Amino acid sequence: MTMPRQRGLTEQAADAAIDSACRLLRLPSIRNEFSDIADRAIKDQMTYRGFLAELLMAECDDRARRRSERRIKAAGFPWEKSLRSFDFEANPNIDPATIHTLASCEWIKKSQPLCLIGDSGTGKSHMLIALGTEAAMKGYRVRYTLATKLVNELVEAADEKQLNKTIARYGRVDLLCIDELGYMELDRHGAELLFQVLTEREEKNSVAIASNESFGGWTKTFTDPRLCAAIVDRLTFNGTIIETGTDSYRLASTRARTEQAAAG
């Protein structure tokens, strides 16, 4: 039989009861913020309903933030990159309106591909990671990998009779970001394994790639012309292609900082 709760708890006893209940119910944000919110409620003369709404929204907001952080961490990005930190003025080849449209993630919802093509230092990886981060923040499951790392993992999985399991794992994420595609030549076996991953995801989940080679130069990476054509088809059908150009804005910004330091 439960004992009836006492009325008129002291402030100290009420704080202790709230702390205990929040621990039991796993409400860490309310536990951490209820005192400040209660003080603000008194100052702003909130109703009981308003005070309760503030508490619950604080918990919901914090849980959403923690979920985003977990998804971003699970994606495996090598660095933190955001659209806000990208210098669009330094690279006029990249249209801000197009990028901000992509940031809405409608293309991921439609399972469409994205290709970022351009020379080193033109912002491809920055865009790839920033758009992947936007997707993770909006609730999509994202995975980032280098092309060579992915192919090596697939080759090892094939040797260990785990290929289907590995391909299925890469097939489940909503957005697969493949960076540095085209930097290394792939043998036929590796290229075929990568093709299997792309086929698994075709029209079901999005793939975004960054490459320093134009599509015409992909025969250096995928030496079989038919396989190369099939891979290009998988990565471009109903997709968006952004050409980031040939002038390294990263190199230009480094030179500008060096000249500024020398002038100072």
Side-chain angles (χ1 to χ4, degrees):
M1 180 178 177
T2 58
M3 295 293 292
R5 287 176 293 172
Q6 292 182 337
R7 295 183 179 276
L9 292 175
T10 65
E11 289 286 305
Q12 188 175 7
D15 286 353
I18 293 169
D19 186 271
S20 177
C22 285
R23 290 177 187 273
L24 183 65
L25 297 172
R26 297 180 181 177
L27 301 170
S29 301
I30 290 179
R31 176 173 160 262
N32 292 331
E33 297 183 40
F34 80 87
S35 183
D36 290 339
I37 294 175
D39 291 341
R40 192 164 67 246
I42 294 170
K43 181 181 177 182
D44 296 345
Q45 296 183 328
M46 288 184 194
T47 63
Y48 291 127
R49 282 187 175 88
F51 174 50
L52 178 59
E54 286 284 330
L55 285 174
L56 294 175
M57 285 191 293
E59 187 67 43
C60 290
D61 289 346
D62 200 45
R63 288 190 181 190
R65 178 185 59 78
R66 291 198 302 271
R67 282 196 297 269
S68 289
E69 288 175 351
R70 286 195 297 270
R71 284 191 296 267
I72 290 170
K73 185 177 180 180
F77 298 120
W79 312 284
E80 288 186 16
K81 298 290 183 182
S82 67
L83 296 181
R84 190 180 306 166
S85 64
F86 188 80
D87 187 356
F88 286 99
E89 291 184 2
N91 190 345
N93 292 301
I94 300 178
D95 177 34
T98 299
I99 298 301
H100 290 301
T101 298
L102 289 170
S104 71
C105 298
E106 192 66 23
W107 60 287
I108 301 174
K109 187 177 178 181
K110 294 178 180 177
S111 304
Q112 295 171 341
L114 168 67
C115 295
L116 297 156
I117 310 292
D119 283 2
S120 296
T122 56
K124 303 184 306 299
S125 292
H126 188 135
M127 277 296 142
L128 187 68
I129 294 170
L131 289 170
T133 300
E134 289 289 329
M137 290 171 64
K138 286 180 170 61
Y140 292 100
R141 294 167 299 174
V142 182
R143 183 73 183 271
Y144 170 96
T145 184
L146 298 176
T148 51
K149 183 179 178 182
L150 173 58
V151 170
N152 289 338
E153 186 178 346
L154 293 170
V155 170
E156 289 178 12
D159 292 341
E160 297 169 3
K161 311 298 183 186
Q162 297 289 316
L163 183 59
N164 289 340
K165 185 177 179 181
T166 302
I167 289 176
R169 188 172 74 248
Y170 277 104
R172 281 193 297 270
V173 295
D174 301 306
L175 172 63
L176 176 60
C177 300
I178 305 176
D179 205 353
E180 297 186 1
L181 186 64
Y183 280 76
M184 299 278 290
E185 180 182 323
L186 302 177
D187 62 23
R188 183 179 177 84
H189 181 52
E192 287 175 346
L193 294 175
L194 178 58
F195 180 69
Q196 286 186 51
V197 171
L198 300 178
T199 300
E200 175 71 16
R201 300 183 59 79
E202 187 180 15
E203 297 187 19
K204 293 189 292 186
N205 297 108
S206 290
V207 175
I209 65 101
S211 177
N212 67 324
E213 282 283 357
S214 63
F215 295 120
W218 279 23
T219 49
K220 300 174 191 173
T221 301
F222 307 105
T223 53
D224 183 306
R226 288 186 179 180
L227 185 58
C228 181
I231 288 173
V232 170
D233 181 66
R234 293 288 189 280
L235 291 173
T236 56
F237 181 69
N238 278 338
T240 301
I241 300 169
I242 296 175
E243 295 182 357
T244 60
T246 58
D247 296 328
S248 173
Y249 88 93
R250 188 166 59 205
L251 180 60
S253 63
T254 301
R255 284 175 177 165
R257 285 197 303 270
T258 303
E259 290 170 3
Q260 188 176 15

